[in-house]
Amino acid sequence: MTVIRSVVTGTGSYLPERVLTNDELARMVDTSDEWIAQRTGIRQRHIAAEGETTATLATEAARRAMAAAGVTADDIDLIILATATPDNTFPATAVEVQARLGVLRGAAFDMQAVCSGFVYGVTTADSMLRTGLAKRALVIGAETFSRILDWTDRTTCVLFGDGAGAIVLEAQEGQGTTDDRGVLTSHLRSDGRHKEKLYVDGGPSSTGTVGHLRMEGREVFKFAVGAVTDVIEEAFKATGFNGDTIDWFVPHQANRRIIEGSAKKLDIDLSKVVITVDRHGNTSAASIPLAVDAAVKDGRIKKGDVVLLEAMGGGFTWGAVLVRW
Ligand code: UT7
């Protein structure tokens, strides 16, 4: 029996030119390169220039993914843009990207699950492709967190960066086994009781302002390792894969210590873990597609490889997706 699978046919990413180093941050707030590098693994992050927005970053990443997939605007009939930093409260930034790309068919909408947004977006696109609602989707993660940071708060402003990553997902026929290319399984979770540990202190309906990011870092850290292993174990159980038999682990890039802790707990050798947090910082919904694109471009992730994507973020939200490339 044949089934529909959502196959990744192209990846792309875009990073703003401006690089902000730890040493520069140390001149802005009471911090040091040593503290940031030791506690997070971050060395630098990219910051959007004046005139660059989430939509412009997303559009460039999407163009590159479409070029890699060999498709044009006429081939795309679904755009899901994961972001917590939209250009406007409404309309969705995804429709701005749709217009910029010249896509005239299908639907475009934003996905709001903060750092888990890309995993939520891939899962949603996969569901729509498998039910025949669309044939070829762009799933984009794009953020300009620099615009919602409190640049006087050293506990948060050193952690985040801007950027965008995208993939093209295409409905193709599979045999219904784990040898198929495409999304093999997805597991999403959320728990709204943790809202106060990671949130933005403004919004259209509460304060009428955009607000700034607030985080109880230690609390988020504690939750991250446990939650993430939870959904990954579900993904392993659903497919029969384990830490040894997957080819690549591409986790959300928030903190090198969280990534290494999760890998250890799941018996995933560090040589299989894609890490970009040192160069990109935490780019929220953009972090996984940025890391994926880096590993595709440098030849690590290849057709047929089994790739585990995982994220955890504000909400709390978290999730895991297992894909055969
Ligand atoms: O993407 C969404 C998910 N987000 C995350 O996954 C972030 C999760 N949390 C983390 O990555 C870590 O908790 C942080 C990197 C945010 C903080 O690391 P930590 O090891 O948990 O440090 P801490 O919050 O326990 O702070 C230790 C000390 C404190 O000083 P005292 O109270 O011990 O005197 C902080 O005030 O470090 C101080 N501190 C800093 N010092 C220099 C906090 N931020 C800084 C800083 N520079 N930037």
Side-chain angles (χ1 to χ4, degrees):
M1 195 191 71
T2 61
V3 299
I4 297 174
R5 294 288 197 192
S6 309
V7 177
V8 181
T9 57
T11 67
S13 62
Y14 177 79
L15 287 160
E17 209 176 297
R18 164 92 169 102
V19 169
L20 180 65
T21 65
N22 291 350
D23 283 333
E24 284 176 87
L25 274 166
R27 293 196 285 274
M28 295 158 61
V29 288
D30 183 15
T31 190
S32 65
D33 174 49
E34 194 195 358
W35 190 95
I36 301 169
Q38 217 170 58
R39 300 283 176 139
T40 71
I42 299 168
R43 291 277 179 193
Q44 61 167 54
R45 70 288 292 142
H46 292 251
I47 303 292
E50 211 178 305
E52 282 188 314
T53 66
T54 294
T56 69
L57 307 189
T59 302
E60 195 47 44
R63 280 202 183 109
R64 293 174 185 187
M66 287 163 65
V71 300
T72 68
D74 291 341
D75 300 315
I76 301 294
D77 58 2
L78 174 65
I79 299 174
I80 300 180
L81 172 58
T83 189
T85 45
D87 283 22
N88 296 85
T89 301
F90 82 79
T93 304
V95 299
E96 172 73 27
V97 173
Q98 184 188 31
R100 284 171 181 265
L101 292 173
V103 173
L104 299 173
R105 301 193 302 130
F109 59 89
D110 287 358
M111 173 65 60
Q112 164 57 292
V114 205
C115 299
S116 311
F118 187 74
V119 166
Y120 269 62
V122 168
T123 303
T124 305
D126 175 47
S127 305
M128 293 179 70
L129 292 175
R130 282 191 293 110
T131 51
L133 281 169
K135 288 271 180 270
R136 207 173 282 107
L138 264 172
V139 185
I140 311 165
E143 303 279 14
T144 44
F145 261 50
S146 63
R147 307 265 157 82
I148 57 163
L149 294 175
D150 175 351
W151 287 99
T152 64
D153 174 14
R154 70 173 183 175
T155 69
T156 53
C157 76
V158 304
L159 304 173
F160 296 90
D162 301 336
I167 62 170
V168 176
L169 271 183
E170 181 178 297
Q172 293 185 3
E173 268 190 12
Q175 298 306 309
T177 73
T178 55
D179 288 336
D180 289 344
R181 287 185 68 202
V183 175
L184 300 176
T185 191
S186 296
H187 302 266
L188 300 183
R189 293 289 315 278
S190 61
D191 185 343
R193 291 173 300 176
H194 302 281
K195 178 185 166 187
E196 301 300 325
K197 291 172 191 154
L198 178 49
Y199 69 107
V200 168
D201 62 4
S205 182
S206 53
T207 59
T209 62
V210 171
H212 289 113
L213 183 147
R214 306 292 172 204
M215 177 166 74
E216 291 174 33
R218 216 173 306 183
E219 293 302 312
V220 180
F221 191 108
K222 273 194 278 181
F223 194 85
V225 180
V228 154
T229 45
D230 214 31
V231 280
I232 292 174
E233 270 155 14
E234 282 177 23
F236 284 165
K237 207 165 148 204
T239 55
F241 287 102
N242 58 42
D244 219 27
T245 55
I246 62 162
D247 295 296
W248 300 106
F249 177 39
V250 190
H252 171 50
Q253 309 284 319
N255 186 319
R256 196 182 171 102
R257 288 188 294 146
I258 296 176
I259 294 172
E260 290 179 350
S262 313
K264 195 167 171 209
K265 226 171 140 187
L266 292 153
D267 283 327
I268 302 173
D269 196 87
L270 265 186
S271 63
K272 293 181 178 183
V273 186
V274 177
I275 299 179
T276 50
V277 70
D278 52 330
R279 290 175 285 147
H280 302 167
N282 181 348
T283 57
S284 188
S287 92
I288 292 176
L290 271 165
V292 159
D293 190 47
V296 167
K297 295 279 147 66
D298 69 20
R300 275 180 289 174
I301 297 180
K302 292 182 292 297
K303 204 168 163 177
D305 283 354
V306 175
V307 182
L308 174 65
L309 313 178
E310 158 279 309
M312 180 267 163
F316 291 150
T317 54
W318 65 105
V321 175
L322 201 62
V323 187
R324 188 181 285 282
W325 221 254

